């Protein structure tokens, strides 16, 4: 890269017309196939699901589902977050996750969580950098991949208190 030339990383909403991009990324990135409910949830989450572009090439995505907890509070479940291997380490995953964390903060959502395969050290370390912690282990969560166990990785977001 030339000196001073910054490559733009941009985020775009997922809509019906570009949903195929998300499907193609998921096929390349993940060892499981996602059903229609996954895509319906991704579309329904609005701003919480984004495609990431590096120099106008679609290279990553985050897809979330909004869930109602007991008591009516909404929490965010990260269904998938992935970046194509040649584009990792460029801040794309960070930009995607920060986008969702900022939305959670703005919308007073206090919890965001996901499942991570127990042997996925890179993902576990990535989320820990953002204040996520392992809060549970689920045995035999995955049916067609080894190991079948996952961690529940959670971040509790403390909302800024109004100044008195």
């Amino acid at each position: 890269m030339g000196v001073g030339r910054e490559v733009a990383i941009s985020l775009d909403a997922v809509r019906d017309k570009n949903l195929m991009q998300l499907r193609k990324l998921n096929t390349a990135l993940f060892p499981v196939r996602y059903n229609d409910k996954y895509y319906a949830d991704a579309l329904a989450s609005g701003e919480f699901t984004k495609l990431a572009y590096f120099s106008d090439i679609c290279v990553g995505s985050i897809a979330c589902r909004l869930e109602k907890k007991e008591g009516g509070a909404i929490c965010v479940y990260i269904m998938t977050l992935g970046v194509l291997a040649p584009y990792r380490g460029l801040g794309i995953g960070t930009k995607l996750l920060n986008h969702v964390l900022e939305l959670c903060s703005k919308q007073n959502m206090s919890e965001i969580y996901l499942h991570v395969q127990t042997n996925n050290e890179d993902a576990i370390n990535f989320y820990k950098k953002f204040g996520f912690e392992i809060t549970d282990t689920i045995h035999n969560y995955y049916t067609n991949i080894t190991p079948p166990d996952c961690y529940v990785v959670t971040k509790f977001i403390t909302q800024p208190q109004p100044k008195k």
Side-chain angles (χ1 to χ4, degrees):
M1 296 252 185
V3 176
R5 182 168 181 266
E6 194 172 310
V7 176
I9 298 168
S10 59
L11 303 184
D12 190 22
V14 175
R15 301 175 286 281
D16 283 326
K17 70 175 190 165
N18 64 4
L19 189 63
M20 203 61 200
Q21 291 277 30
L22 182 60
R23 287 184 189 272
K24 286 179 182 173
L25 277 171
N26 285 347
T27 300
L29 288 167
F30 303 112
V32 293
R33 295 294 154 254
Y34 293 96
N35 60 24
D36 289 340
K37 183 181 182 331
Y38 164 97
Y39 293 100
D41 288 343
L43 284 169
S45 79
E47 282 294 302
F48 286 89
T49 296
K50 290 287 188 183
L51 295 171
Y53 291 85
F54 179 86
S55 289
D56 299 326
I57 303 163
C58 188
V59 298
S61 65
I62 189 166
C64 299
R65 179 174 68 222
L66 304 181
E67 299 179 343
K68 236 188 195 119
K69 292 174 38 175
E70 286 179 32
I74 304 284
C75 74
V76 176
Y77 173 62
I78 299 175
M79 298 188 293
T80 54
L81 167 59
V83 175
L84 295 173
Y87 299 92
R88 291 181 190 152
L90 300 173
I92 297 166
T94 295
K95 186 168 182 136
L96 287 162
L97 184 55
N98 277 334
H99 169 79
V100 168
L101 290 174
E102 286 169 19
L103 283 175
C104 288
S105 195
K106 283 180 191 164
Q107 297 186 26
N108 294 325
M109 294 174 174
S110 61
E111 184 181 335
I112 181 167
Y113 78 104
L114 63 144
H115 296 106
V116 178
Q117 197 174 10
T118 53
N119 68 340
N120 191 342
E121 294 292 328
D122 287 346
I124 294 161
N125 292 330
F126 174 78
Y127 288 106
K128 282 184 173 178
K129 285 191 303 193
F130 293 87
F132 284 75
E133 54 194 64
I134 295 170
T135 53
D136 199 3
T137 302
I138 301 173
H139 297 287
N140 299 312
Y141 178 77
Y142 300 108
T143 52
N144 296 321
I145 56 177
T146 305
D149 306 333
C150 79
Y151 293 127
V152 178
V153 183
T154 307
K155 179 178 174 84
F156 298 99
I157 301 164
T158 52
Q159 298 301 331
Q161 298 302 312
K163 292 190 171 65
K164 297 196 176 192

